[in-house]
Amino acid sequence: MAWHTYGLDQEAQKLVLAAKRRDQESLNQGYKMRMAVAYGLERFWGEHLRLQEREAQKSRYWKETWDTLVRIAGQAHITIPNDAVRPDNVQQIQAMSERLWGLNLADQRVALAVLTQLCDCMVWWTQRYK
Amino acid sequence: MPPIPDVINKVPMMYRAQVTGRCQLQRLVPKAEEQHAQRWTKEWTERSYPHPPQFSQNVQTRSYSISWRFVTNAGQDDGIIRPVMGARGWPFYPGSSMKGLFRSACNPQQKARYCGQELPGGDMAPGILRFHGGYPTNKKWVEKLLDLVHPQQDYQVKRGNANHSAFMMISLYQPELNFGISSSEDLSPQEWTEIWQIWEKAMAKGLGSRVCAGYGHPSSISGDELYPPHRIHGRGMASKTLSGAEFRPNIFRAAIRGHALRIFGGLVPAPIAEREVDKLFGGLGSREPIVGLVGMKFVADDLNIDRHGRGRFEVRTYDVTGQLSWLLTRPLPDVQREALKNLILRLNQFAMILGGFGKSWRRIDHPFFFEEYYNHPNKSYIGCHWEWIDKFKRDVQIAAPKHLEQFMNNRLLPSVKEWLKLQGVNLNSQYAQEWRETWHTAKVQVWGRIAQNQEDSIAVKWFHQPYYSDNKQGIRNSIKGTSITGRLGTIGRIWHRMYPQFKFSQGDTPTKTRGYVELITIFPDQSPECRQFLTFLQQEQQDFQRVWPLNN
């Protein structure tokens, strides 16, 4: 199989620039995202919901990062759930959590490895653009 | 590996989405069997190592005890304040914070030698010291981690319907912390002594977050005290915590801050009063938190936690003696410092004369002054009682009701006005009219009398039975259960206090008598009960005299 680059660095740059255009203040979320990776997919995914009501721009940054992860993983034929979920809908939240922990272990590991790298790149770009 | 059944309910709290339905750390769910934060801390502490992390051999160490609680916010979990986690899952005071605090206590030479300096050309020369941070010295840190924070100021001072829900925080209870410093050069024992002296000077301001509220103060080191500490004794109901009960010294700051707001609010419009109080005591500010000018520290030298009542009326109580100090958090010009000293001293006296601290502070201590109330079972603890110890001459200030006007008009209000003027605040007779408790002649009345002894409180009965009844005519006038006395869930508009009476004879130390100055403070509302009660005070009784304001 030939070498395939998933372009994580470019994806990261796009995410950071979009966040910066929307709201300079949300740039620091990149560091938080990098730390949150250690707590796994559910915690990372849940952050955009937590922020949705009070800090819409930050919420959007997390969600766009999640969408990017889902898209890249999809290119590698790994399906990461990405249901539309409302922050006040406990059933939807729990269903999504269940799907995330229900991913097979190998897929979870790949997803976290990709997310780690993506966030590292985002932190790098954040430092450049700050 | 086969899938784990019911996996989502086995995921540790830390790994869950921090949203409704999964994990909500800061939220207190009334009557829940287990709070999320309880489970979260259990999952954390159970897996931490039994022994503290040790610094390597070349690191110099010293340990200090913290007088009450301690927290350094990790800043990692938005939505909850919790300590930084260091090696072996132990909470940790980071070396970087330690360096920052140490640096702030250095003179320029020390700063350059120990902490590094900028060279001409923009390069940096490193300092010789390495700051390794601090760890608890024993595993007691796992106890009493959950800290309930319950901001009530808006509710108590401004609006009866203000939001006052509690939230959770995680802080260490009376930890002993071991700090480490090493040097890239061999230093003499004398120089190490000097280094630890700098560290102690730094620590005296308080370590970590919320130092203005009494967190993070070492028991054995004093900071920049505005004046020698007040030594006081108090009894009342202990604060409920998730792990039981606790005496929480931040009740002093809350009371003094609240009184400052009431009094400032009687002199200047609401937004200015709020801003000036935030500047003094710290606050959340409108955009970002404000670090207060004044810090508080309380060191209990004798604390007994006990019980009162039976069954569902049982509460935990405290009986405490200790030293209350007020610290300056940054240098001030002499004139300002003197004014601030007067202001804080007077506010402390005001709080002691007219109210109390902590739960139920508006009422006198019922087990102490109204024992017969408990002849019936099923009565709750009401009230609290505070007294001065030691520095009576400085602290007591009133020995008779008539002294209250002198205290108010010659000591308290001038010190407040002086401070506000120094802050550039214009005093132009506007005030916070909309607040429920504003210290303004149009909003408050104080009435007083001398009670001969502990059993001689007249007003305490008015809270429990009619103050006037005439059976023939079938008249029963009462304030019980009205907006004046308050009900469960409604704060009353009356404060009642039995202030220990002292005898002052010239030159001598004042001596305590068996009597009390009985004081009631009323913030009248428009209710008929209130109007009727004020008429009663003015025209139908002789015991109480109006003592403030006098000419209104």
Side-chain angles (χ1 to χ4, degrees):
Chain A
M1 198 166 72
W3 163 252
H4 176 75
T5 168
Y6 290 90
L8 290 181
D9 196 38
Q10 286 89 335
E11 297 287 356
Q13 187 183 17
K14 275 187 232 160
L15 285 165
V16 174
L17 282 173
K20 185 179 156 76
R21 266 195 301 275
R22 276 195 303 265
D23 169 28
Q24 177 87 16
E25 295 282 306
S26 62
L27 276 190
N28 272 345
Q29 297 298 308
Y31 300 94
K32 296 198 182 223
M33 289 184 206
R34 177 62 184 88
M35 280 190 295
V37 176
Y39 299 122
L41 294 174
E42 185 198 335
R43 171 91 185 245
F44 192 100
W45 165 81
E47 230 26 30
H48 82 271
L49 291 177
R50 190 178 68 80
L51 293 166
Q52 209 160 63
E53 257 174 48
R54 287 171 55 180
E55 297 181 280
Q57 301 300 353
K58 291 179 184 173
S59 167
R60 195 164 155 197
Y61 193 15
W62 283 85
K63 184 61 167 63
E64 284 186 358
T65 306
W66 183 262
D67 292 342
T68 303
L69 169 73
V70 171
R71 185 162 40 80
I72 296 169
Q75 290 170 26
H77 309 295
I78 292 173
T79 309
I80 297 176
N82 196 11
D83 304 344
V85 170
R86 289 172 47 91
D88 54 0
N89 189 325
V90 172
Q91 276 84 32
Q92 288 178 344
I93 290 169
Q94 288 177 348
M96 180 71 182
S97 302
E98 196 143 16
R99 290 187 66 192
L100 285 169
W101 290 105
L103 282 175
N104 81 49
L105 208 54
D107 286 355
Q108 285 188 43
R109 284 182 181 149
V110 169
L112 283 171
V114 172
L115 192 55
T116 307
Q117 187 59 44
L118 181 66
C119 288
D120 278 343
C121 298
M122 286 164 70
V123 164
W124 193 90
W125 284 113
T126 305
Q127 283 167 341
R128 293 292 137 330
Y129 292 134
K130 254 180 146 182
Chain B
M1 204 169 74
I4 302 168
D6 191 27
V7 63
I8 67 160
N9 291 317
K10 292 172 183 156
V11 176
M13 302 312 274
M14 185 89 138
Y15 295 81
R16 297 183 179 198
Q18 303 295 306
V19 291
T20 328
R22 290 300 283 154
C23 177
Q24 291 242 274
L25 278 183
Q26 82 293 352
R27 254 187 73 199
L28 183 75
V29 183
K31 302 202 172 95
E33 211 166 282
E34 188 184 46
Q35 301 291 339
H36 282 171
Q38 280 175 305
R39 184 152 160 204
W40 186 94
T41 42
K42 209 167 118 209
E43 286 167 350
W44 165 31
T45 55
E46 270 176 0
R47 286 161 181 78
S48 62
Y49 283 44
H51 304 296
Q54 298 295 319
F55 296 117
S56 64
Q57 286 219 312
N58 60 343
V59 177
Q60 302 264 331
T61 62
R62 279 202 191 180
S63 302
Y64 300 89
S65 300
I66 301 296
S67 67
W68 177 45
R69 285 187 169 272
F70 167 76
V71 64
T72 320
N73 189 11
Q76 285 183 18
D77 292 303
D78 292 336
I80 187 153
I81 296 173
R82 59 128 169 126
V84 186
M85 288 178 202
R88 300 171 173 234
W90 280 55
F92 174 57
Y93 182 70
S96 51
S97 308
M98 193 179 171
K99 181 176 180 183
L101 196 61
F102 183 93
R103 202 167 186 277
S104 71
C106 286
N107 65 32
Q109 288 81 25
Q110 292 166 334
K111 211 178 275 177
R113 175 164 168 79
Y114 297 138
C115 303
Q117 62 182 322
E118 203 170 328
L119 299 171
D123 271 355
M124 291 293 290
I128 60 167
L129 296 184
R130 298 289 172 271
F131 297 86
H132 299 259
Y135 282 101
T137 55
N138 58 56
K139 188 105 195 210
K140 277 187 76 132
W141 67 267
V142 303
E143 292 161 22
K144 301 187 182 179
L145 278 171
L146 285 175
D147 189 356
L148 280 181
V149 184
H150 196 171
Q152 308 195 29
Q153 186 172 272
D154 287 358
Y155 172 57
Q156 295 214 11
V157 180
K158 299 182 205 160
R159 301 179 311 275
N161 61 353
N163 174 31
H164 62 109
S165 52
F167 64 89
M168 258 177 280
M169 190 171 111
I170 294 170
S171 67
L172 306 187
Y173 185 78
Q174 298 187 334
E176 186 187 48
L177 299 170
N178 190 30
F179 296 95
I181 305 177
S182 65
S183 168
S184 57
E185 288 175 16
D186 275 336
L187 302 179
S188 68
Q190 287 88 332
E191 189 160 10
W192 275 113
T193 307
E194 190 191 321
I195 288 168
W196 285 110
Q197 274 165 1
I198 299 172
W199 176 237
E200 289 183 4
K201 190 174 147 200
M203 253 193 320
K205 294 180 191 163
L207 279 172
S209 332
R210 296 178 70 84
V211 297
C212 281
Y215 287 61
H217 289 283
S219 309
S220 55
I221 304 167
S222 300
D224 186 4
E225 288 171 344
L226 275 170
Y227 53 86
H230 301 280
R231 191 138 179 275
I232 49 181
H233 169 243
R235 39 172 286 165
M237 273 173 287
S239 306
K240 242 188 260 172
T241 65
L242 289 171
S243 48
E246 178 176 314
F247 176 72
R248 297 174 62 83
N250 55 359
I251 60 175
F252 300 114
R253 175 180 176 261
I256 303 290
R257 196 179 196 287
H259 289 319
L261 202 57
R262 289 178 180 93
I263 296 164
F264 286 14
L267 293 167
V268 295
I272 300 176
E274 281 173 27
R275 185 193 69 203
E276 291 306 318
V277 167
D278 277 353
K279 275 160 65 183
L280 273 174
F281 296 98
L284 295 175
S286 53
R287 264 192 65 82
E288 52 183 41
I290 300 166
V291 177
L293 198 51
V294 179
M296 186 215 85
K297 171 178 171 177
F298 182 80
V299 183
D301 42 45
D302 191 10
L303 170 63
N304 294 299
I305 297 280
D306 214 329
R307 283 167 210 277
H308 182 274
R310 291 240 184 106
R312 68 191 183 90
F313 294 92
E314 185 185 286
V315 288
R316 306 296 295 274
T317 60
Y318 62 79
D319 188 306
V320 68
T321 305
Q323 304 222 36
L324 176 63
S325 335
W326 295 94
L327 313 167
L328 199 54
T329 58
R330 50 184 180 268
L332 268 189
D334 285 349
V335 180
Q336 298 238 1
R337 189 187 167 109
E338 186 58 24
L340 184 60
K341 182 192 111 178
N342 281 329
L343 173 71
I344 300 296
L345 177 67
R346 299 307 177 200
L347 286 172
N348 272 263
Q349 290 162 344
F350 179 90
M352 285 290 278
I353 295 166
L354 292 162
F357 304 102
K359 279 185 160 179
S360 199
W361 65 265
R362 287 175 170 81
R363 307 285 294 272
I364 60 169
D365 190 286
H366 280 39
F368 190 67
F369 292 104
F370 195 40
E371 233 186 313
E372 62 194 79
Y373 184 65
Y374 298 97
N375 289 345
H376 304 278
N378 301 350
K379 290 290 182 192
S380 327
Y381 195 120
I382 298 176
C384 63
H385 186 63
W386 289 89
E387 296 197 1
W388 304 108
I389 296 181
D390 297 347
K391 294 199 170 57
F392 304 130
K393 231 175 201 162
R394 182 192 68 183
D395 289 329
V396 171
Q397 298 296 312
I398 76 162
K402 63 177 185 211
H403 296 154
L404 192 90
E405 205 214 2
Q406 294 166 16
F407 171 72
M408 222 38 95
N409 295 353
N410 304 343
R411 301 196 188 97
L412 178 85
L413 292 174
S415 71
V416 176
K417 288 177 185 162
E418 171 69 12
W419 175 256
L420 290 174
K421 264 188 232 152
L422 282 173
Q423 300 309 299
V425 175
N426 185 9
L427 302 172
N428 53 8
S429 76
Q430 289 182 49
Y431 70 103
Q433 294 189 40
E434 62 278 25
W435 290 354
R436 56 191 301 281
E437 293 184 0
T438 311
W439 202 266
H440 184 274
T441 50
K443 299 278 281 187
V444 66
Q445 299 182 13
V446 187
W447 294 70
R449 69 177 274 267
I450 291 292
Q452 296 309 317
N453 56 48
Q454 193 181 330
E455 273 113 51
D456 182 30
S457 165
I458 289 181
V460 71
K461 301 193 176 78
W462 299 345
F463 289 83
H464 301 284
Q465 58 209 46
Y467 55 86
Y468 177 80
S469 58
D470 183 333
N471 286 338
K472 269 192 221 148
Q473 300 199 28
I475 302 173
R476 288 167 70 83
N477 292 341
S478 178
I479 51 169
K480 185 184 172 187
T482 65
S483 59
I484 310 153
T485 49
R487 290 173 278 259
L488 205 63
T490 310
I491 294 177
R493 299 177 155 269
I494 186 164
W495 311 348
H496 181 210
R497 170 98 167 114
M498 293 280 273
Y499 186 66
Q501 189 199 15
F502 280 74
K503 219 171 27 206
F504 289 85
S505 45
Q506 254 171 5
D508 294 336
T509 306
T511 48
K512 207 178 155 202
T513 70
R514 297 187 53 208
Y516 292 87
V517 183
E518 182 169 14
L519 292 166
I520 48 181
T521 304
I522 310 165
F523 297 87
D525 64 6
Q526 295 306 318
S527 66
E529 294 89 355
C530 188
R531 259 177 280 163
Q532 201 173 43
F533 181 59
L534 290 180
T535 310
F536 166 75
L537 285 176
Q538 282 152 11
Q539 296 165 14
E540 294 156 28
Q541 58 88 40
Q542 265 95 49
D543 298 299
F544 282 90
Q545 304 297 316
R546 186 150 120 177
V547 288
W548 201 85
L550 278 187
N551 308 311
N552 194 39

